[in-house]
Amino acid sequence: MGEKDLKYKNTKNIHYYLFGNGAISQLEEVLKEGYRIYFIDSYFKNKDLIKTLPLQKDDEIIYVDTINEPTTDKIDEYKQYLVKKNKNNPSTIIGIGGGATLDSAKAVANLLTNEGRAEDYQGWDLVKNPAIYKIGIPTISGTGAEASRTCVMTNVKSGLKLGMNSDYTIYDQLILDPNLTKTVPDEQYFYTGMDTYIHSFESLNGSFRHTVGDAFAREAIRLCKEVFDSENMKSDENREKLMTASYLGGCAIANSFVGVVHPFSAGLSVVFKIHHCEANCITMRGMEEFYPKEYKEFFEMAEKQNIEIPSLSKYVKNIDEDAFEKLYNSTIIHEKPLINALGEDFKEILTYEKVKEIFKKMLKD
Ligand SMILES: [Fe+2]
């Protein structure tokens, strides 16, 4: 049933989470009997983390290449590989990594119990059968992928960047271990952390809201500001805070929708293959008129942390008309967030010319 059919949205959040430094050592307690499939960010290949996992004979690790963000084709490929290799589905799917890895694990867990291809489930509440039991273990904080009810994938053919938005997409169990974010490079730590700040303020500025969602979003923003206004954003305490902010921001989004930033950011990802969190930060360059207060705070935090927010000119010098059209289409397709932010008539505000002007602002150095 879609949003419009319900007076109130029945909201599911994460059922179980283990939180604390070293919590990953308790993974074995929450695994189910039977073989397990691990999706792990390829960064961890040959790292010590792998040796600490409670691997059994038939378990398998699939390393997720995070150079490219998940595509529907890649998810289909994982499914075909697993179905071909094993008669029965795994008992547990474990995702260990950032947003792209956590989302890949979620998408495959849905697809193994639902027939067809990944693209069949891009949208809202299209997944019919419950997914494989799954455990999420984030190793970077900010995307909220650990708590959200979506798993973002790009359909390269149609240009649609949209996840399987479903209650079945939500992880059954999380392990939130702030020790795992120690080695994240500063820039990535900032860009990714800002994802939770951004989707939380988008949610708070929207019209589809309620008090619970607002409370999650406000606390996520408060924690982000504490972290990024401080002297050492990666202190032990701040890594705990940012992991909490990421989780709460993900819960906020499970209660509501994003706004103007994410659709534009999705346009950049689809057309120029820019990673989500960096694309968000580039998009902020064009967002002053929509979110003046947050625009100011965002650039103040970047300055405080000595993080340079790239211009779009890092990726492209001139955008031709053909690319503008693609950008426009892959932005405007995100109707729900844009209605949330700007109302039913959002296309009257975001005309083709207006969208072009906003992308041009991102090009300036
Ligand atoms: Fe995001």
Side-chain angles (χ1 to χ4, degrees), residues 142-145 152 161 192 194-196 198-199 202 253 258 262 265 276-277 280:
T143 66
V152 183
K161 187 183 178 191
T192 309
M194 275 301 157
D195 195 10
T196 202
I198 291 169
H199 55 237
E202 285 178 287
I253 287 307
V258 288
H262 272 75
S265 169
H276 176 59
C277 298
N280 280 346

Side-chain angles (χ1 to χ4, degrees), residues 320-340:
D320 60 28
E321 212 52 45
D322 186 48
F324 271 129
E325 264 172 45
K326 284 190 186 128
L327 283 169
Y328 172 80
N329 290 328
S330 47
T331 299
I332 223 78
I333 202 165
H334 296 270
E335 292 196 352
K336 289 203 180 202
L338 293 170
I339 293 172
N340 181 41

Side-chain angles (χ1 to χ4, degrees), residues 36-284:
R36 297 116 189 191
I37 301 293
Y38 289 80
F39 286 89
I40 304 182
D41 187 323
S42 57
Y43 165 83
F44 292 103
K45 212 174 193 171
N46 305 319
K47 295 275 194 307
D48 288 346
L49 175 89
I50 305 300
K51 289 183 224 145
T52 69
L53 299 174
L55 294 172
Q56 292 185 349
K57 196 171 83 335
D58 296 322
D59 294 354
E60 185 171 353
I61 296 179
I62 294 175
Y63 287 104
V64 178
D65 143 38
T66 53
I67 295 166
N68 301 305
E69 293 191 322
T71 61
T72 50
D73 288 343
K74 190 74 204 173
I75 301 303
D76 291 336
E77 213 179 278
Y78 289 137
K79 175 180 177 168
Q80 278 152 16
Y81 167 76
L82 290 171
V83 168
K84 219 169 164 184
K85 197 163 169 235
N86 304 289
K87 270 207 307 287
N88 305 314
N89 276 337
S91 68
T92 311
I93 286 188
I94 304 106
I96 306 178
T101 307
L102 294 177
D103 280 357
S104 298
K106 285 158 126 183
V108 174
N110 278 341
L111 212 52
L112 282 177
T113 56
N114 287 274
E115 58 182 28
R117 303 163 65 92
E119 65 180 23
D120 302 335
Y121 301 100
Q122 279 186 294
W124 273 264
D125 303 306
L126 302 172
V127 181
K128 289 182 189 67
N129 306 313
I132 309 279
Y133 170 78
K134 58 190 176 302
I135 302 170
I137 310 178
T139 59
I140 185 168
S141 301
T143 66
E146 65 277 26
S148 74
R149 71 191 296 277
T150 191
C151 48
V152 183
M153 311 167 293
T154 301
N155 185 330
V156 180
K157 263 191 282 95
S158 69
L160 182 63
K161 187 183 178 191
L162 185 63
M164 302 174 180
N165 223 298
S166 159
D167 281 351
Y168 297 132
T169 307
I170 294 178
Y171 274 107
D172 300 286
Q173 169 81 51
L174 293 181
I175 298 182
L176 303 173
D177 182 345
N179 268 352
L180 298 173
T181 67
K182 267 186 188 163
T183 53
V184 178
D186 285 1
E187 277 189 348
Q188 221 186 327
Y189 184 88
F190 183 88
Y191 297 155
T192 309
M194 275 301 157
D195 195 10
T196 202
Y197 173 78
I198 291 169
H199 55 237
S200 298
F201 80 62
E202 285 178 287
S203 151
L204 276 179
N205 282 285
S207 56
F208 301 135
R209 289 163 52 191
H210 62 66
T211 317
V212 179
D214 285 3
F216 280 125
R218 268 199 302 271
E219 184 60 10
I221 289 174
R222 196 186 66 80
L223 288 165
C224 284
K225 285 204 232 172
E226 276 184 22
V227 170
F228 295 113
D229 282 340
S230 72
E231 293 308 317
N232 177 7
M233 64 179 178
K234 282 164 71 181
S235 68
D236 286 352
E237 194 190 348
N238 279 336
R239 280 186 293 95
E240 282 191 22
K241 281 183 183 171
L242 196 60
M243 191 160 266
T244 306
S246 178
Y247 170 72
L248 295 177
C251 293
I253 287 307
N255 281 277
S256 63
F257 295 96
V258 288
V260 186
V261 187
H262 272 75
F264 276 86
S265 169
L268 293 181
S269 295
V270 169
V271 179
F272 301 120
K273 310 270 174 298
I274 305 173
H275 277 207
H276 176 59
C277 298
E278 190 179 345
N280 280 346
C281 290
I282 293 173
T283 300
M284 282 303 286

